[in-house]
Amino acid sequence: MDTVTEAASRPTILAVDDSPENLWLISGLLKSRYRIRMVNSGEAGLEAAGTEPLPDLILLDVMMPGLSGHDVCRALKASPVTRHIPIIFLTAMAEPEDEKKGLELGAADFITKPINPPVLIARVATQLQAKAAADFLRDQNAFLENEVQRRTRELTAIQDVTIHALASLAETRDNETGNHIRRTQHYVRALATALQNHPRFRSQLDDATIDSLFKSAPLHDIGKVGIPDSILLKPGPFEPHEFEIMKTHTTLGRDAIQHAEDALGMPVEFLAYAKEIAYGHQEKWDGSGYPQGLAGEAIPLSARIMAVADVYDALLSRRGYKKAMSQEEAVAIMREGRARHFDPDILDAFLGLLPELERISRQFEDTSR
């Protein structure tokens, strides 16, 4: 290693003392081992401590004109930039109370004046070793935290892609459009977010729950994969026996998600909501829906929210058996379903979001609508 490289790799020590004699003594004792920076006031010390490259250790006089060493220490420990730099106080104040105050301020050690050279050299070496170990642990922790965040982002992305792939697979067999799942997903999030302020729903809709609802909403019609094409793609109205088969998509969807969760061997929060939505989004507030004929709050909240979003999008969308409705026509039909098809409070919140819903509809519009 050449001389310049060796010097650059040495730890840097900042010495802050208003006594020129002490500064030159410190420099003489330590300059062969370390890079030394010297300033003669607390104000200059505070500025130098925050200047790159940051010092690895600060030797700080306590009694100085202007900012005292205690003042400087207090400021350095309050800053995220300098709080991890160890400070050794240089002081003639050797009473226990003086030491107690310094330690409470965050000092790592004390050296009493007049400075004893072997003590100074040993204390500096000890604190630099401790700092090197602490820096290593912080770097390792930061690396591990970043790695966990990276892997979490990867797993979340894989999970989201898988969900959309499965939902899109169901829609390739249906008359519905590819962006139906995206529109309803965003309708669900907008509605659930609005309901956070409603006293009936506030306790059930924290941010994590809304994220899970958003993630699980695309799976609401996954059971349609199991419906025969002759029924699923029929352009006209169903015969009674055909409708009975069509209704089984709710049970098929729930069971498919349950089988996936069983294979995983552990419960997954968003899959619990996915099962509720797949099984219950065709239930109606007055009990006239399917598959169970549940009424009122017996219908899971997730399914009640999905029902509003799903019907709204279906009304606005063109299908093989119907034309797309206008916003006004769709809203009129939704109002007729208040307290019959839909939870009245959920529908009221939904109708209060019409400008945002129109924006979502335009954002995810597709040509087949």
Side-chain angles (χ1 to χ4, degrees):
M1 183 181 297
D2 59 52
T3 304
V4 174
T5 304
E6 181 182 1
S9 66
R10 295 176 181 177
T12 298
I13 295 175
L14 172 64
V16 185
D17 198 309
D18 64 329
S19 167
E21 292 79 9
N22 284 335
L23 291 176
W24 286 114
L25 174 60
I26 291 168
S27 177
L29 292 171
L30 301 178
K31 67 181 180 181
S32 63
R33 298 177 177 86
Y34 313 109
R35 289 183 295 173
I36 308 298
R37 292 158 58 187
M38 298 182 293
V39 295
N40 62 2
S41 70
E43 291 80 0
L46 192 58
E47 180 179 355
T51 302
E52 295 287 349
L54 298 181
D56 297 289
L57 175 69
I58 299 174
L59 297 172
L60 181 60
D61 186 19
V62 174
M63 300 178 65
M64 294 182 289
L67 287 179
S68 71
H70 289 161
D71 296 330
V72 174
C73 182
R74 188 179 293 109
L76 293 175
K77 293 304 176 182
S79 169
V81 175
T82 57
R83 67 170 55 136
H84 297 300
I85 301 173
I87 295 172
I88 297 178
F89 275 133
L90 305 175
T91 179
M93 303 164 62
E95 295 299 320
E97 282 302 311
D98 299 322
E99 185 171 343
K100 176 175 180 291
K101 180 177 181 180
L103 293 173
E104 288 175 348
L105 290 174
D109 203 351
F110 283 81
I111 295 177
T112 57
K113 295 180 178 179
I115 294 172
N116 183 317
V119 170
L120 174 67
I121 293 169
R123 298 279 180 86
V124 165
T126 297
Q127 291 303 324
L128 286 173
Q129 289 173 359
K131 181 180 185 296
D135 288 347
F136 175 78
L137 288 176
R138 273 195 301 274
D139 290 344
Q140 286 294 99
N141 288 339
F143 171 79
L144 291 174
E145 183 177 345
N146 289 335
E147 187 66 10
V148 167
Q149 291 176 354
R150 184 184 69 81
R151 295 296 296 273
T152 299
R153 288 194 299 269
E154 286 182 356
L155 291 173
T156 299
I158 292 169
Q159 189 180 71
D160 291 346
V161 167
T162 303
I163 291 168
H164 278 280
L166 290 171
S168 296
L169 176 64
E171 289 198 330
T172 61
R173 300 195 57 251
D174 196 357
N175 287 315
E176 295 179 351
T177 62
N179 274 342
H180 168 71
I181 59 173
R182 292 175 179 82
R183 290 190 297 271
T184 53
Q185 184 182 35
H186 285 270
Y187 294 154
V188 164
R189 181 164 63 184
L191 178 54
T193 301
L195 292 172
Q196 278 187 305
N197 297 319
H198 195 289
R200 275 185 63 202
F201 310 111
R202 186 180 298 124
S203 64
Q204 303 175 67
L205 291 173
D206 58 22
D207 290 343
T209 297
I210 292 175
D211 286 342
S212 293
L213 292 177
F214 180 78
K215 189 183 294 290
S216 60
L219 296 176
H220 67 282
D221 274 340
I222 190 67
K224 288 183 177 180
V225 170
I227 303 300
D229 285 351
S230 59
I231 296 174
L232 188 65
L233 304 180
K234 186 176 180 179
F238 295 128
E239 297 295 332
H241 73 281
E242 292 173 328
F243 186 52
E244 290 304 312
I245 294 173
M246 184 63 188
K247 289 195 294 185
T248 64
H249 82 275
T250 55
T251 303
L252 291 171
R254 183 219 34 203
D255 291 348
I257 297 168
Q258 183 63 60
H259 290 156
E261 191 171 33
D262 291 343
L264 188 62
M266 60 182 291
V268 180
E269 183 180 24
F270 89 89
L271 288 180
Y273 291 116
K275 287 183 290 186
E276 290 179 354
I277 288 172
Y279 195 47
H281 72 283
Q282 295 290 353
E283 301 285 2
K284 296 183 179 180
W285 183 254
D286 64 3
S288 63
Y290 64 86
Q292 294 179 286
L294 300 178
E297 295 194 359
I299 306 168
L301 176 58
S302 59
R304 281 179 272 153
I305 293 173
M306 187 71 230
V308 175
D310 192 35
V311 171
Y312 176 75
D313 194 69
L315 293 173
L316 291 178
S317 301
R318 186 179 67 183
R319 297 290 183 261
Y321 53 87
K322 77 173 192 68
K323 295 180 180 180
M325 291 185 182
S326 68
Q327 174 85 359
E328 292 74 18
E329 291 172 320
V331 168
I333 291 177
M334 298 288 287
R335 291 186 190 279
E336 289 177 6
R338 186 181 188 277
R340 294 165 55 194
H341 191 150
F342 310 115
D343 181 323
D345 290 333
I346 294 177
L347 183 67
D348 290 346
F350 189 80
L351 294 175
L353 296 171
L354 288 178
E356 183 175 358
L357 305 179
E358 289 184 90
R359 180 192 60 77
I360 293 170
S361 180
R362 288 192 302 271
Q363 180 181 357
F364 296 103
E365 186 174 13
D366 44 36
T367 56
S368 61
R369 287 191 66 189

